[in-house]
Amino acid sequence: MTISNKALDLFVERIALIKSYEESLGLLYWDLRTGAPRKGMDVRSEAIGNLSGQMFKLATAPELGEWLSELEQSDTYEGLSEIHQRLVTETRKEYDRSVKIPPKLYQEYVVLTSQAESMWEEAKANSDFASFEPYLDKIITYTNQFIDLWGVKGTRYDTLLDMYEPGMTTAELDRVFGGLREKLVPLSAAIANSPHQPETGFLKQQYAKEAQKKFSLFILEQMGFDFTGGRLDESAHPFATGLNPGDVRITTRYLADDVTSALFGTIHECGHALYEQNISKDLIGTTLCTGTSMGIHESQSRFWENVIGRSMGFWKRYFGDLQQHFPNQLDVSVEDFYRATNVSQPSLIRIEADELTYNLHIIIRYEIEKQIFNEGVKASELPALWNAKYKEYLGIEPENDGEGVLQDVHWSGGSFGYFPSYSLGNMYAAQITDTLEREMPNFWELVESGNLIPIKEWLTDKVYQYGKLRTPSELITSITGKSLDPDYLFRYLEKKYTDIYKL
Amino acid sequence: MTISNKALDLFVERIALIKSYEESLGLLYWDLRTGAPRKGMDVRSEAIGNLSGQMFKLATAPELGEWLSELEQSDTYEGLSEIHQRLVTETRKEYDRSVKIPPKLYQEYVVLTSQAESMWEEAKANSDFASFEPYLDKIITYTNQFIDLWGVKGTRYDTLLDMYEPGMTTAELDRVFGGLREKLVPLSAAIANSPHQPETGFLKQQYAKEAQKKFSLFILEQMGFDFTGGRLDESAHPFATGLNPGDVRITTRYLADDVTSALFGTIHECGHALYEQNISKDLIGTTLCTGTSMGIHESQSRFWENVIGRSMGFWKRYFGDLQQHFPNQLDVSVEDFYRATNVSQPSLIRIEADELTYNLHIIIRYEIEKQIFNEGVKASELPALWNAKYKEYLGIEPENDGEGVLQDVHWSGGSFGYFPSYSLGNMYAAQITDTLEREMPNFWELVESGNLIPIKEWLTDKVYQYGKLRTPSELITSITGKSLDPDYLFRYLEKKYTDIYKL
Ligand SMILES: [Zn+2]
Ligand SMILES: [Zn+2]
């Protein structure tokens, strides 16, 4: 017992140390992306590399393995608090995953992906898949080596999925994505054929940046973003980062000729931020003090951006405020604005896609990744595969690979298994909304009256506070009483778009 | 030879690693002081503590001592490059200093000074020296223990001086400060008695912050501050921090009712920044990549702030620009502005003191610190000692300890030996200016025509590029051909103030 207490202390101290590195590295990255002087970036990257290396050493040290083994003894484990139990389980998973990759192999892979990212940027700009193909091919080979080293449970692709969405499997995704795709493809086609297409021209005018910023700050405040525990900055690619629950930073980008980009971007990142700001204080200093998965994180950003932010109720309350910021540009009705910001149409570029077709972009990527790792499809086959799927599900085809298979950065960094998170987020969000509407019958009244705080509090109670203390499937089951069901998302989209497009 | 090469590689790699921690910690501190959300500060402080602890471990590890010993073997050492030789010498000094303090003792001291800083803040606000005295007493006791552990060479106070100004001794400071004091006291008295006191009321009007900022940025550009390798932010207490030569950050604070505070503060910090931005690229990744001492660093900030920034030549060129920024407030002649920004009068508060009397504030602190460590003067004796010296040198006495012995933060943090740096900076600056005027005969023409870049380049050549590669005394001797001589500063001040006050 004394020995185990000692092991527990050392273990907890090590985790806190690792968390300090994570927080520091988080700040170094935030700084690089928000305003670090260009000339210092090479040296800064070295510093990041050095600190990451130190953290990796601490996270893979033999003594950590020994403490874990001690704490996993059933007598000892049973005596641990819920937080410490989960911390042991989580750390074991990360530890095993990390120590199984030989450092030299990992180093080669880091160099490869770093080169590949540069090559990808050029290849995308030139729509030149051939120049990127050998890199992609090697990244797939390395990833397959990692899968072998980690050990396959279920299918090979499951091993990758589990990194971003713990417990998620190809079988489960086949079920939910399959169900969704079957229904979304005809719905999307019906929308495209509707004679009632919204007018959107007024969104593309000159919108002064300062006024956009003011309105963004106003909406953040309305959503309950805590400015004493966070801040809003600008960056080329918007992101949210939770350094600790008292320091959660989001960024946005203001486009002078588009009022919706920064607006919905800010609401989206604020959804991520509300999650990070409201994690229980009990988890501070542990690696559980973050969102439980990419999919659940996206469910929160997308709940706020789409379910709330793109709802008629929200704009009934806030459109007047937005008009006051842009009196010359927004001389339209709230219905016109609502319909314009909810246009749905097949498109080639994922990050510009609407709430509905976005899911088809993701399902295409999921099916391709699954084929790569479970069926041995080669890098060289991807452009044709990509184009065929876009034709089949969205009815359109890229004119070149720059707007096709080369459009996303993810594969050049080796992030296979990440894409499904986005649509999982949409599905989780719709399913949680269904419960929310039932448990809080005045939900839409609250939105229409701009009383968003009780909604944030409900989500804190159900989702945010737990951090990584509950797995995604535990969370969705405990909240909604059911496992993940794609029909919630479909019914939500069907209802919304039937109304907008008068189907 | 093979063994030594191996030791050299490991040594250089370790130094680079330590430098990465320094850079990361520098960013963490910068962030805390420029806009980190309040709520996250406790957790951030833990992260800083954890990373500092890790850096300390790496800097005091036995293997580092072994590599040093190997590299110090005369055969090996002679074969090293100049940079590596200096790196070995510097690191040995730091290493010995650090390993001599038992970690437990140091930990107690860190806790003590952290408490003492809070206590000091309260004590200062209440002018209550009694509440701070026991803390100050303990800090002195700990410092004396450290001196014993480090080993005394010369006097006990020399051991402290050497931390901030390598090679500086009490004997040397007695000589230079003694010489300076004897001449400054009567000069200051003559100024106070002059009937020609400048009019300063116009400086204290409303000066819009945005216009102040615009002018600050303009002056930074004129001075050759590299914005692609640096940035300007705001903070409560202005500072400069060189994270690496390509990322040097300065801060300022804009006072709405005082146009000079941010202006001269920015020029001062830019002086520090020019030093850090122009260190040779060869020193990047080593602990030599920073200013060589506090005194030399201050010589650069003070050269730019006082010698250049408070000169008639500078304002002949730039006063018109400043007037354009504040046409309603600055309807005065350039002579009036010059005289107003060079008022000299005895005052109680160091940080508000002018260029001349500032040195007397420093000499008082120097003499007191020397008495504490070389003569055993007790904390309880300090208020009386302080007040007597202010009376003697400046002719005025504090009404309470808040504006007297409690005014500075330094002692609460244990920074004994730091104060002399400020006046050393003034002396170095005046002595370097003398050489500069002789080697660059058109120096003042350049200033008057706003052509400051050649001056920056001369200083890069003589000072900046070397970083810590030359010691302060090597530097001053190599530039001016003489060791430190306080008469340069006195003659500079005498000339300037005789003119302004028509003595
Ligand atoms: Zn997101
Ligand atoms: Zn300074």
Side-chain angles (χ1 to χ4, degrees):
Chain A
M1 198 58 181
T2 320
I3 292 169
S4 296
N5 276 342
K6 177 86 176 149
L8 180 62
D9 289 348
L10 291 167
F11 169 70
V12 166
E13 195 187 317
R14 173 62 55 92
I15 294 296
L17 190 52
I18 291 170
K19 191 70 191 170
S20 288
Y21 277 91
E22 278 185 5
E23 175 159 348
S24 305
L25 287 162
L27 183 71
L28 288 160
Y29 281 114
W30 172 84
D31 185 66
L32 271 186
R33 297 163 78 178
T34 55
R38 193 167 43 73
K39 273 198 188 156
M41 288 205 178
D42 287 349
V43 181
R44 179 65 35 80
S45 300
E46 292 264 331
I48 288 176
N50 276 332
L51 251 67
S52 304
Q54 290 279 300
M55 181 172 81
F56 186 77
K57 264 192 196 167
L58 290 166
T60 55
E63 66 269 18
L64 179 56
E66 286 158 24
W67 301 329
L68 281 170
S69 300
E70 264 193 68
L71 295 170
E72 284 161 347
Q73 301 294 318
S74 61
D75 281 11
T76 312
Y77 186 81
E78 294 307 323
L80 295 178
S81 69
E82 188 197 356
I83 290 175
H84 286 153
Q85 286 184 347
R86 184 68 71 157
L87 201 53
V88 166
T89 322
E90 267 300 312
T91 309
R92 164 59 74 190
K93 202 171 150 184
E94 289 296 322
Y95 182 81
D96 285 351
R97 181 182 285 279
S98 300
V99 296
K100 282 178 180 168
I101 308 292
K104 200 174 154 293
L105 190 71
Y106 187 70
Q107 187 53 40
E108 288 167 21
Y109 173 74
V110 168
V111 173
L112 170 64
T113 51
S114 146
Q115 291 169 337
E117 284 193 41
S118 309
M119 286 308 299
W120 162 77
E121 222 170 305
E122 221 181 297
K124 177 182 173 180
N126 301 327
S127 293
D128 175 16
F129 184 77
S131 69
F132 181 57
E133 191 196 306
Y135 291 89
L136 185 54
D137 193 59
K138 273 189 210 155
I139 293 174
I140 292 170
T141 305
Y142 272 92
T143 306
N144 270 315
Q145 274 187 274
F146 293 166
I147 293 173
D148 288 330
L149 287 162
W150 286 324
V152 176
K153 279 185 200 140
T155 76
R156 296 182 68 78
Y157 186 51
D158 290 3
T159 310
L160 302 177
L161 288 173
D162 187 62
M163 285 202 292
Y164 304 100
E165 201 65 15
M168 188 51 65
T169 62
T170 307
E172 172 79 350
L173 283 184
D174 277 346
R175 179 178 72 81
V176 294
F177 281 172
L180 194 60
R181 195 196 66 209
E182 268 174 35
K183 292 176 173 169
L184 285 189
V185 171
L187 178 58
S188 175
I191 289 170
N193 292 324
S194 164
H196 305 285
Q197 299 294 325
E199 175 55 51
T200 60
F202 65 88
L203 293 177
K204 301 275 170 193
Q205 299 176 74
Q206 289 302 306
Y207 288 90
K209 184 183 141 177
E210 271 314 304
Q212 287 196 49
K213 188 171 172 183
K214 240 177 107 185
F215 189 74
S216 288
L217 289 169
F218 166 66
I219 291 294
L220 288 180
E221 207 180 88
Q222 292 289 305
M223 289 171 68
F225 181 83
D226 180 356
F227 282 95
T228 67
R231 47 185 284 170
L232 172 68
D233 294 270
E234 290 176 43
S235 69
H237 303 283
F239 67 98
T241 182
L243 302 174
N244 70 57
D247 188 352
V248 178
R249 304 179 182 203
I250 62 178
T251 69
T252 196
R253 184 174 62 139
Y254 303 100
L255 300 180
D257 61 351
D258 178 356
V259 73
T260 59
S261 172
L263 176 56
F264 291 112
T266 306
I267 298 175
H268 179 101
E269 300 307 335
C270 182
H272 285 303
L274 293 180
Y275 194 170
E276 295 283 332
Q277 284 190 329
N278 293 290
I279 294 173
S280 165
K281 303 267 170 296
D282 298 341
L283 300 180
I284 286 178
T286 77
T287 41
L288 304 177
C289 194
T290 185
T292 190
S293 73
M294 297 306 306
I296 297 290
H297 233 308
E298 280 297 302
S299 79
Q300 295 314 301
S301 54
R302 283 155 191 269
F303 170 81
W304 285 101
E305 178 191 351
N306 293 332
V307 178
I308 303 265
R310 292 185 199 266
S311 72
M312 188 63 192
F314 184 80
W315 290 111
K316 274 190 190 158
R317 165 64 188 82
Y318 292 110
F319 188 59
D321 286 294
L322 186 63
Q323 280 179 313
Q324 276 179 16
H325 285 72
F326 301 105
N328 300 322
Q329 293 89 334
L330 291 179
D331 187 17
V332 298
S333 71
V334 60
E335 285 78 13
D336 289 343
F337 183 78
Y338 167 69
R339 295 185 75 227
T341 54
N342 279 294
V343 160
S344 175
Q345 58 195 11
S347 66
L348 293 169
I349 306 297
R350 175 184 61 88
I351 58 166
E352 295 166 5
D354 59 82
E355 197 181 345
L356 188 157
T357 59
Y358 195 99
N359 300 290
L360 295 172
H361 291 263
I362 294 306
I363 290 169
I364 289 170
R365 287 156 178 77
Y366 161 69
E367 293 180 355
I368 292 174
E369 291 189 344
K370 187 178 67 168
Q371 287 179 276
I372 295 173
F373 294 99
N374 289 353
E375 297 164 25
V377 159
K378 298 266 165 278
S380 58
E381 304 172 58
L382 298 187
L385 200 53
W386 183 282
N387 295 349
K389 285 196 184 284
Y390 265 79
K391 183 80 191 158
E392 183 182 353
Y393 301 156
L394 286 154
I396 51 176
E397 248 183 309
E399 301 218 334
N400 58 58
D401 290 331
E403 58 180 30
V405 69
L406 285 173
Q407 71 182 264
D408 297 308
V409 68
H410 302 58
W411 292 345
S412 72
S415 299
F416 295 104
Y418 187 116
F419 281 124
S421 316
Y422 299 115
S423 272
L424 285 169
N426 288 334
M427 286 190 274
Y428 289 137
Q431 187 163 339
I432 290 171
T433 302
D434 177 78
T435 301
L436 176 53
E437 284 172 338
R438 280 183 289 105
E439 293 193 4
M440 197 185 269
N442 64 339
F443 169 62
W444 285 110
E445 285 162 40
L446 291 172
V447 174
E448 283 182 33
S449 60
N451 193 357
L452 307 177
I453 304 305
I455 301 167
K456 184 195 82 169
E457 281 166 1
W458 190 88
L459 289 164
T460 297
D461 184 45
K462 302 286 185 178
V463 182
Y464 303 162
Q465 62 164 320
Y466 295 110
K468 252 179 139 70
L469 206 51
R470 296 189 172 176
T471 66
S473 63
E474 284 169 353
L475 209 53
I476 199 73
T477 311
S478 73
I479 299 168
T480 69
K482 290 185 184 175
S483 60
L484 181 61
D485 181 347
D487 270 0
Y488 291 102
L489 177 60
F490 176 71
R491 285 200 298 269
Y492 158 81
L493 292 172
E494 185 183 44
K495 180 157 175 273
K496 181 170 184 173
Y497 285 99
T498 298
D499 173 51
I500 293 171
Y501 284 88
K502 309 193 201 314
L503 301 179
Chain B
M1 197 59 179
T2 319
I3 292 167
S4 295
N5 276 343
K6 176 89 178 148
L8 180 61
D9 289 349
L10 290 167
F11 169 70
V12 166
E13 193 189 318
R14 174 62 54 91
I15 295 296
L17 189 52
I18 291 170
K19 191 69 191 171
S20 288
Y21 277 90
E22 278 185 6
E23 176 160 347
S24 304
L25 286 163
L27 183 71
L28 288 161
Y29 281 114
W30 171 84
D31 185 67
L32 271 187
R33 296 163 77 178
T34 55
R38 193 168 43 72
K39 273 196 188 157
M41 289 206 178
D42 287 349
V43 181
R44 181 66 34 80
S45 301
E46 293 262 333
I48 289 177
N50 275 333
L51 252 66
S52 303
Q54 291 279 299
M55 181 171 81
F56 187 78
K57 264 192 197 168
L58 291 166
T60 55
E63 67 269 20
L64 179 57
E66 287 159 23
W67 301 330
L68 282 171
S69 300
E70 265 194 67
L71 295 169
E72 284 160 348
Q73 301 292 319
S74 60
D75 280 12
T76 311
Y77 186 82
E78 294 308 322
L80 297 176
S81 69
E82 189 198 355
I83 290 175
H84 286 153
Q85 286 185 346
R86 185 67 72 156
L87 201 53
V88 166
T89 323
E90 267 301 312
T91 308
R92 163 60 72 191
K93 202 172 148 182
E94 290 295 323
Y95 183 81
D96 286 351
R97 184 183 280 282
S98 300
V99 296
K100 281 179 180 168
I101 308 292
K104 201 175 153 292
L105 191 71
Y106 186 70
Q107 188 52 40
E108 287 167 21
Y109 173 75
V110 168
V111 173
L112 170 64
T113 50
S114 145
Q115 291 169 338
E117 284 193 42
S118 308
M119 287 308 299
W120 163 78
E121 221 169 306
E122 219 181 299
K124 177 183 174 178
N126 301 327
S127 293
D128 176 16
F129 184 78
S131 70
F132 181 57
E133 192 196 305
Y135 291 89
L136 186 54
D137 193 59
K138 273 189 211 157
I139 293 173
I140 293 171
T141 305
Y142 272 91
T143 307
N144 270 315
Q145 273 185 274
F146 294 166
I147 293 173
D148 289 329
L149 288 162
W150 286 325
V152 175
K153 278 187 202 138
T155 75
R156 298 181 67 79
Y157 186 51
D158 290 3
T159 310
L160 302 176
L161 288 173
D162 187 63
M163 285 201 293
Y164 304 101
E165 201 64 15
M168 188 50 66
T169 63
T170 308
E172 173 78 348
L173 283 184
D174 277 347
R175 179 178 72 79
V176 295
F177 282 171
L180 193 62
R181 194 196 67 209
E182 268 174 35
K183 292 175 174 172
L184 285 189
V185 170
L187 179 58
S188 175
I191 289 170
N193 292 325
S194 163
H196 305 285
Q197 300 293 325
E199 175 54 51
T200 60
F202 64 88
L203 294 177
K204 302 274 171 193
Q205 299 175 75
Q206 289 302 306
Y207 288 88
K209 185 183 140 177
E210 271 314 306
Q212 288 196 50
K213 189 172 171 181
K214 239 177 107 186
F215 190 73
S216 288
L217 289 168
F218 167 66
I219 291 294
L220 288 180
E221 207 180 86
Q222 292 290 305
M223 290 171 67
F225 180 83
D226 180 355
F227 283 96
T228 67
R231 48 185 284 171
L232 172 68
D233 294 271
E234 292 177 42
S235 68
H237 303 283
F239 67 97
T241 183
L243 302 174
N244 70 57
D247 189 352
V248 178
R249 305 181 181 201
I250 62 179
T251 70
T252 195
R253 185 176 60 142
Y254 303 99
L255 300 179
D257 61 351
D258 178 355
V259 74
T260 59
S261 172
L263 176 55
F264 291 112
T266 306
I267 298 176
H268 179 100
E269 300 307 336
C270 182
H272 285 303
L274 292 180
Y275 195 171
E276 296 282 333
Q277 285 191 328
N278 293 290
I279 296 173
S280 165
K281 303 269 171 291
D282 298 341
L283 299 180
I284 286 177
T286 77
T287 41
L288 303 177
C289 193
T290 184
T292 189
S293 73
M294 297 305 306
I296 297 291
H297 233 307
E298 280 297 303
S299 79
Q300 295 314 301
S301 54
R302 283 155 191 269
F303 169 81
W304 285 100
E305 178 191 353
N306 294 331
V307 178
I308 304 264
R310 292 185 200 266
S311 71
M312 188 63 193
F314 184 80
W315 290 110
K316 274 189 189 159
R317 164 64 188 82
Y318 293 110
F319 188 59
D321 286 295
L322 186 63
Q323 280 179 312
Q324 276 179 17
H325 285 73
F326 303 104
N328 301 322
Q329 293 89 336
L330 291 179
D331 186 16
V332 298
S333 71
V334 61
E335 286 78 13
D336 290 344
F337 183 77
Y338 168 68
R339 296 186 74 226
T341 53
N342 279 294
V343 159
S344 174
Q345 58 196 11
S347 67
L348 293 169
I349 307 298
R350 175 184 61 87
I351 59 167
E352 294 166 6
D354 58 83
E355 197 181 345
L356 188 157
T357 60
Y358 194 98
N359 300 289
L360 295 172
H361 290 264
I362 294 306
I363 291 170
I364 289 170
R365 286 156 178 76
Y366 162 69
E367 293 180 354
I368 291 174
E369 290 189 345
K370 188 177 67 166
Q371 286 178 276
I372 294 172
F373 294 99
N374 289 355
E375 298 166 25
V377 159
K378 300 265 164 279
S380 58
E381 303 173 60
L382 298 186
L385 198 55
W386 183 282
N387 296 348
K389 286 196 184 285
Y390 266 79
K391 183 81 191 159
E392 185 182 352
Y393 300 156
L394 285 155
I396 52 177
E397 250 183 308
E399 301 218 335
N400 58 57
D401 290 331
E403 58 180 30
V405 69
L406 286 173
Q407 71 182 262
D408 297 309
V409 68
H410 301 58
W411 292 346
S412 72
S415 299
F416 295 104
Y418 187 117
F419 281 123
S421 315
Y422 298 115
S423 273
L424 285 170
N426 288 334
M427 287 190 274
Y428 290 136
Q431 188 163 339
I432 290 171
T433 302
D434 177 77
T435 301
L436 176 54
E437 284 172 339
R438 281 183 289 105
E439 294 193 4
M440 196 184 269
N442 65 340
F443 168 63
W444 285 111
E445 285 162 39
L446 291 173
V447 174
E448 282 181 33
S449 60
N451 193 356
L452 306 177
I453 304 303
I455 301 168
K456 183 194 82 170
E457 282 167 1
W458 189 89
L459 289 164
T460 297
D461 184 44
K462 302 285 185 179
V463 183
Y464 303 163
Q465 63 165 319
Y466 296 109
K468 252 180 139 72
L469 205 52
R470 296 189 172 177
T471 66
S473 64
E474 283 169 357
L475 209 54
I476 200 75
T477 311
S478 72
I479 299 167
T480 69
K482 290 186 183 174
S483 60
L484 182 61
D485 180 348
D487 269 2
Y488 291 102
L489 176 61
F490 176 70
R491 285 201 298 270
Y492 158 82
L493 292 171
E494 186 184 42
K495 180 159 174 273
K496 180 169 185 174
Y497 285 99
T498 297
D499 172 53
I500 292 171
Y501 283 89
K502 311 195 202 308
L503 300 179

